[in-house]
Amino acid sequence: MSNSTFAKVGELVLSLSIHQRYYLFLGHADMRKGFDSLCGMVRDHLHKDPLGGDVFIFINRRRNQIKLLCWEGDGFMLFYKRLEKGTFELPKGEESRVSVEILSCLLQGIKLSTIRKRKRYDSTKLIRPIHAG
């Protein structure tokens, strides 16, 4: 097998899309769990459909392992990462939905409390005038 079939160190193996939704399981996940058990946790604890195409994030108690579960139309994809040193920082709060930017920072080891997002246009905050008539 040639070296060209293997990913180089530092290359992105996982592609994160802004068009997907990302949900963090807020408890401590047992990393021995496989596809079926993780799907059960998605249904029972996050009250979501694991076949919906969303990405579900599970982190263990020691915060040195992470799994991402996603249905890809013809089967489940499971991304699993174990840190040799350090931990994953959990986002503050009780919200299970996380942005793709937060997930990307979490996977790269960027300290979440240091992130400051610059002001951008947000069409969801538009106030539309009500016409009488």
Side-chain angles (χ1 to χ4, degrees):
M1 223 174 192
S2 72
N3 287 340
S4 63
T5 59
F6 295 101
K8 295 177 185 173
V9 174
E11 274 189 24
L12 185 64
V13 177
L14 178 68
S15 177
L16 303 174
S17 169
I18 62 169
H19 302 291
Q20 285 183 295
R21 291 177 298 221
Y22 300 88
Y23 294 96
L24 174 67
F25 173 69
L26 297 174
H28 302 291
D30 181 348
M31 289 295 125
R32 297 172 293 182
K33 292 189 181 296
F35 295 102
D36 295 332
S37 298
L38 292 173
C39 286
M41 292 170 66
V42 167
R43 280 188 213 94
D44 297 343
H45 299 285
L46 295 170
H47 309 290
K48 301 289 180 193
D49 178 9
L51 301 174
D54 299 328
V55 177
F56 301 98
I57 308 158
F58 303 90
I59 299 176
N60 68 336
R61 181 179 301 278
R62 291 176 36 199
R63 295 189 343 221
N64 67 337
Q65 296 176 40
I66 189 169
K67 283 187 177 182
L68 279 63
L69 176 72
C70 180
W71 175 255
E72 292 193 321
D74 61 351
F76 282 102
M77 183 276 305
L78 188 63
F79 173 83
Y80 186 15
K81 182 174 183 176
R82 182 187 75 191
L83 297 176
E84 294 302 317
K85 185 177 181 182
T87 59
F88 293 106
E89 181 181 359
L90 296 176
K92 296 197 185 309
E94 296 297 317
E95 179 65 37
S96 65
R97 181 139 183 216
V98 296
S99 68
V100 66
E101 296 90 359
I102 293 295
L103 177 57
S104 179
C105 290
L106 189 149
L107 289 170
Q108 295 177 54
I110 296 171
K111 189 173 181 180
L112 299 179
S113 61
T114 63
I115 298 171
R116 293 210 173 122
K117 193 168 182 179
R118 297 185 62 85
K119 190 181 271 189
R120 295 286 189 255
Y121 175 77
D122 184 357
S123 65
T124 62
K125 295 184 180 180
L126 286 177
I127 300 174
R128 304 202 188 273
I130 300 173
H131 298 285

